[in-house]
Amino acid sequence: MAQLQRKGDIVIGSLAEYVHLRYCLKKRQCDTDSGTAGTACASSSSSSRAKPKGKDFKKWEKKWLVLNSELSPSKCSIHFCKSEKEWLQNKNIYLLCYLGNFKLSQIDPQKVDRKHKNCLELVFSDSSLQISFDSFTKMMSWRKYLQDINSRYAVQLVRSSTRPDLKGAYVVVPSPDDVYWFWRDAGSSSSDCSPLWGWRLQQLRRVKYHSESDEFVVEAGRSAPTG
């Protein structure tokens, strides 16, 4: 089931499949074939509010998995339940993880058993999640949308010498030739999810990172939309 749509330059909506999962709780070791150890927290969410509920999958378990893509990467999430029917009835739905910061990789088929060859792994700072799909096509579809989420960055524009009115929270999406800026708290309409402006990389003169303040200073040329 796919309800993802491209709004402007951002993909939003949901993607759902029956998959097999391997997942762990905090401070527990995963006894997996690939030797991957992970820690995480799962929470129960039969409504929009989530209540903590411990759940781990040391072995592969079949679940109905739903990827929810929003504009801001910190609001993107993965939920699961036993079946599509439960999802449609909004029953026994669990929040598995948020997707604000993760590393995505494809697991070598030789490191998993024969039944689970089409696998992706999401690695977080304190957890990891393995997802097995029943076909290569489905795996690549999920990988595409997860990569799209992973290419967005939530930033705070603290000051602009030429445009002080631009101060605020944004989502930045780089591409091979441009850097696009979106309002971080925009909704899901086409107009909300269109970029406010974009910098051509050739318009950027200097980029410097200041570790003491965790800030990037970007100098753009006069031809840039922001001056």
Side-chain angles (χ1 to χ4, degrees), residues 145-202:
Y145 291 119
L146 286 167
Q147 286 176 330
D148 181 86
I149 293 172
N150 213 16
S151 67
R152 311 172 201 168
Y153 302 90
V155 301
Q156 188 78 23
L157 183 59
V158 278
R159 59 188 173 276
S160 172
S161 58
T162 56
R163 292 287 302 277
D165 57 303
L166 296 179
K167 181 179 178 180
Y170 295 88
V171 172
V172 174
V173 181
S175 73
D177 300 312
D178 304 87
V179 179
Y180 295 105
W181 291 71
F182 301 79
W183 283 120
R184 191 187 304 183
D185 296 326
S188 57
S189 70
S190 264
S191 58
D192 285 341
C193 289
S194 295
L196 297 170
W197 73 82
W199 284 337
R200 299 287 295 177
L201 292 185
Q202 62 188 22

Side-chain angles (χ1 to χ4, degrees), residues 31-85:
D31 297 325
T32 65
D33 296 336
S34 62
T36 302
T39 59
C41 285
S43 59
S44 172
S45 176
S46 57
S47 62
S48 60
R49 298 181 64 185
K51 298 179 181 179
K53 181 180 178 65
K55 184 72 176 176
D56 62 353
F57 310 123
K58 293 185 178 180
K59 298 181 179 180
W60 292 110
E61 290 192 21
K62 187 176 182 180
K63 301 293 180 184
W64 179 253
L65 200 68
V66 181
L67 166 65
N68 296 300
S69 178
E70 301 289 343
L71 175 59
S72 178
S74 61
K75 294 181 180 180
C76 298
S77 62
I78 293 179
H79 289 74
F80 74 93
C81 53
K82 289 183 177 180
S83 65
E84 181 181 4
K85 182 179 179 180

Side-chain angles (χ1 to χ4, degrees), residues 74-130:
S74 61
K75 294 181 180 180
C76 298
S77 62
I78 293 179
H79 289 74
F80 74 93
C81 53
K82 289 183 177 180
S83 65
E84 181 181 4
K85 182 179 179 180
E86 286 190 340
W87 176 261
L88 295 174
Q89 294 176 346
N90 197 30
K91 293 181 178 179
N92 302 317
I93 299 171
Y94 296 91
L95 170 64
L96 193 55
C97 58
Y98 284 104
L99 301 173
N101 185 18
F102 68 96
K103 180 180 179 182
L104 177 65
S105 62
Q106 184 175 336
I107 302 177
D108 186 344
Q110 296 182 354
K111 294 184 177 181
V112 292
D113 57 73
R114 294 180 180 178
K115 295 182 180 179
H116 306 99
K117 293 183 178 180
N118 303 300
C119 298
L120 294 176
E121 183 171 36
L122 282 68
V123 180
F124 304 89
S125 60
D126 62 349
S127 62
S128 65
L129 167 67
Q130 295 180 348

